[in-house]
């Protein structure tokens, strides 16, 4: 099994300290020693002569799956154990590495997790189609689980497939039926509309009402994201599994902003902006929450491969045109114009409301034509996805070609092991896999579970 080893029976992972590796308890190890089973430890040491130099006391073996790439991003295939080492904590002495195997064995686990609340219709459609085309490569990882996570219902397993044809057929069907709600944008659009109506009403909205409106929207968005992250973690931990190989988690979503408040703060007048920012310390720190999740997943042996595959610019313009035509002609599928694939009848509105924030919040030239106003959007939705991917040795996938290349690199991964010197009760430990050969880059988990 990759990464830190899981216990024989599945258990729910603690949010900060992930479930321990499959390490024998101190009592169990003492019993084995009394039975003369010291041979077990010797067998592992014989895998790599480099490990013979390590002291025998307090040694616990940690396994990891890694990629090693050259300057052109190609997999380095001639790497030896002496070319790698692992550092546990800043300033710690590097530990020797043993290479246990190269390439996948088909005994791993892949979870494709469609998050309807955080994904747009275009991303759902494109990701499902791209995954269907790569069904064979997905199956080479191991068992494949396709999960749908609706907005107001628990996640549901759609299929656990071992046959690539079954997997491809189900994914192709989900490309046509799975919903994408882009909920954070809906919250922002609704808030801006309420702001505009309040500004135009008589009497107009007071500053306190403006502040409460914005804070309520920010808190709603943060609560939504927190709930989705908790739900994702609960699914991958509660399902257990007897996989012994690589674990890959592929969440399908457009991402989210770690600081939703900044979207509004940059669009408010000075006094309102200061009042909103003054209340910011009471808000949940989404960045800290995302980093905690990233460490937990990585230490639990999951390689995270976020699939954020939105519509292209041309498709986006076509979707906006289709939305305008549909609104004028009676809705999607009517006489108002064509419907772009991936935009279904429950999301026919354009990706954002077409009102310029400066005008909406009492700034700018009111004579500017409304059709020139930009849509609402997320500020930096890739930031948390990059965070999740980097911590686990994964990568963010945004195109069909990127998915194909990422799966090819995953197929050539190396399984390594090293003797940990950290106390077993240390919790989640920061680690770094290094290479002694110049010009190479290692993509590996940055956390390991200790206790």
């Amino acid at each position: 099994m990759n990464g830190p080893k899981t216990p024989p029976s599945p258990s729910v992972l603690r949010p900060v300290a992930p479930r321990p590796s499959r390490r024998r308890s101190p009592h169990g190890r003492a019993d084995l020693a009394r039975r003369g089973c010291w041979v077990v430890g010797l067998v592992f040491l014989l895998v790599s002569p480099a490990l013979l130099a390590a002291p025998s006391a307090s040694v616990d073996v940690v396994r990891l799956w890694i990629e090693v790439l050259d300057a052109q991003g190609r997999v380095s295939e001639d790497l030896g154990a002496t070319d790698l080492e692992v550092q546990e904590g800043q300033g710690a002495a590097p530990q020797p590495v043993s290479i246990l195997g190269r390439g996948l064995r088909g005994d791993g686990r892949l979870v494709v997790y469609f998050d309807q609340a955080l994904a747009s219709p275009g991303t759902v459609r494109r990701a499902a189609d791209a995954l269907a085309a790569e069904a064979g490569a997905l199956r080479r990882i191991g068992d494949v689980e396709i999960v749908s996570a609706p907005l107001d219902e628990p996640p549901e397993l759609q299929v656990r497939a071992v046959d690539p044809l079954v997997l491809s057929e189900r994914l192709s069907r989900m490309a046509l039926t799975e919903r994408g709600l882009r909920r954070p944008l809906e919250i922002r659009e609704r808030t801006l509309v309420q702001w505009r109506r309040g500004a135009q009403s008589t009497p107009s909205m007071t500053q306190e009402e403006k502040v409460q409106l914005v804070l309520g929207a920010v808190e709603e968005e943060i609560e939504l994201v927190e709930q989705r992250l908790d739900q994702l973690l609960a699914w991958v931990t509660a399902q257990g599994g007897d996989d012994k190989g690589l674990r890959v988690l592929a969440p399908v979503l457009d991402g989210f902003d770690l600081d939703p408040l900044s979207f509004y703060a940059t669009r408010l007048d000075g006094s309102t902006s200061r009042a909103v920012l003054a209340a910011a310390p009471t808000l949940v720190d989404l960045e800290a929450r995302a980093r905690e999740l990233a460490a937990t997943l990585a230490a639990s042996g999951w390689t995270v491969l976020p699939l954020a595959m939105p519509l292209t610019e041309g498709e986006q313009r076509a979707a906006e045109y289709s939305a305008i035509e549909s609104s004028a002609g009676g809705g999607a599928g009517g006489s108002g114009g064509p419907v772009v694939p991936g935009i279904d009848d429950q999301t026919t509105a354009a990706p954002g409301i077409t009102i310029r924030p400066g005008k909406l919040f009492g700034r700018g030239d009111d004579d500017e034509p409304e059709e020139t106003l930009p849509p609402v959007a997320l500020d930096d939705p890739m930031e948390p996805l990059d965070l999740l991917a980097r911590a686990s040795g994964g990568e963010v996938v945004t195109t069909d070609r990127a998915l194909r290349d990422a799966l090819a690199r995953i197929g050539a991964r190396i399984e390594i092991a090293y003797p940990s010197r950290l106390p077993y009760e240390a919790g989640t430990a920061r680690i770094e896999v290094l290479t002694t050969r110049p010009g190479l880059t290692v993509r590996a988990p940055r956390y390991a579970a200790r206790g």
Side-chain angles (χ1 to χ4, degrees), residues 395 400-410:
E395 57 184 293
D400 298 21
R401 175 62 183 271
L403 175 62
R404 186 161 53 252
D405 292 346
L407 291 174
R409 287 190 290 270
I410 284 176

Side-chain angles (χ1 to χ4, degrees), residues 33-92:
R34 284 193 294 270
R35 296 186 188 111
C37 291
W38 51 268
V39 178
V40 174
L42 180 61
V43 168
F44 175 78
L45 292 177
L46 291 176
V47 174
S48 173
L51 296 183
L52 291 173
S56 59
S58 303
V59 174
D60 185 36
V61 176
V62 176
R63 297 186 178 191
L64 305 169
W65 286 86
I66 69 170
E67 291 177 15
V68 182
L69 309 175
D70 62 18
Q72 286 73 42
R74 297 170 302 198
V75 174
S76 178
E77 299 180 349
D78 61 343
L79 212 67
T82 56
D83 298 319
L84 296 166
E85 56 190 20
V86 177
Q87 188 174 38
E88 294 182 314
Q90 191 172 15

Side-chain angles (χ1 to χ4, degrees), residues 257-272:
D257 283 337
L258 293 176
D259 182 16
L261 184 62
S262 64
F263 171 80
Y264 300 97
T266 57
R267 292 162 170 83
L268 304 177
D269 59 80
S271 59
T272 306

Side-chain angles (χ1 to χ4, degrees), residues 224-305:
L224 168 73
V225 172
E226 272 202 304
Q227 185 265 341
R228 304 310 291 185
L229 298 183
D230 289 342
Q231 200 172 62
L232 170 64
L233 179 61
W235 175 270
V236 299
T237 57
Q239 299 305 307
D242 57 357
D243 50 295
K244 299 177 176 61
L246 177 66
R247 287 178 166 183
V248 179
L249 172 62
V252 179
L253 72 172
D254 284 19
F256 53 91
D257 283 337
L258 293 176
D259 182 16
L261 184 62
S262 64
F263 171 80
Y264 300 97
T266 57
R267 292 162 170 83
L268 304 177
D269 59 80
S271 59
T272 306
S273 179
R274 287 191 294 272
V276 169
L277 292 174
T282 64
L283 299 174
V284 173
D285 186 348
L286 265 186
E287 181 175 356
R289 181 68 186 85
R291 290 187 181 280
E292 179 184 289
L293 175 64
T296 299
L297 289 172
S300 303
W302 290 98
T303 298
V304 184
L305 203 71

Side-chain angles (χ1 to χ4, degrees), residues 155-356:
E156 181 180 358
L157 178 65
Q158 298 297 309
V159 64
R160 179 179 283 113
V162 295
D163 185 340
L165 292 178
V166 173
L167 182 61
S168 178
E169 185 275 334
R170 180 55 65 92
L171 285 166
S172 296
R173 187 189 311 170
M174 292 184 70
L176 299 174
T177 61
E178 189 75 358
R179 304 176 69 192
L181 302 178
R182 60 185 184 85
R183 183 64 174 162
L185 288 185
E186 288 185 0
I187 295 172
R188 295 182 181 188
E189 291 170 3
R190 185 190 67 228
T191 303
L192 298 189
V193 169
Q194 291 174 343
W195 182 293
R196 178 175 60 175
R197 291 173 179 171
Q200 294 174 348
S201 65
T202 304
S204 62
M205 186 182 294
T206 66
Q207 177 171 300
E208 178 61 25
E209 290 172 333
K210 295 176 184 177
V211 171
Q212 292 306 314
L213 174 63
V214 171
L215 288 180
V218 172
E219 289 174 350
E220 182 181 0
E221 187 173 330
I222 289 175
E223 182 179 352
L224 168 73
V225 172
E226 272 202 304
Q227 185 265 341
R228 304 310 291 185
L229 298 183
D230 289 342
Q231 200 172 62
L232 170 64
L233 179 61
W235 175 270
V236 299
T237 57
Q239 299 305 307
D242 57 357
D243 50 295
K244 299 177 176 61
L246 177 66
R247 287 178 166 183
V248 179
L249 172 62
V252 179
L253 72 172
D254 284 19
F256 53 91
D257 283 337
L258 293 176
D259 182 16
L261 184 62
S262 64
F263 171 80
Y264 300 97
T266 57
R267 292 162 170 83
L268 304 177
D269 59 80
S271 59
T272 306
S273 179
R274 287 191 294 272
V276 169
L277 292 174
T282 64
L283 299 174
V284 173
D285 186 348
L286 265 186
E287 181 175 356
R289 181 68 186 85
R291 290 187 181 280
E292 179 184 289
L293 175 64
T296 299
L297 289 172
S300 303
W302 290 98
T303 298
V304 184
L305 203 71
L307 306 183
M309 307 172 72
L311 297 173
T312 64
E313 185 176 347
E315 291 167 331
Q316 186 86 355
R317 288 197 300 267
E320 294 175 9
Y321 173 78
S322 176
I324 295 172
E325 291 296 303
S326 296
S327 298
S335 60
V339 177
V340 176
I343 303 295
D344 56 25
D345 58 357
Q346 51 88 25
T347 52
T348 52
I353 58 175
T354 55
I355 47 180
R356 177 169 52 88

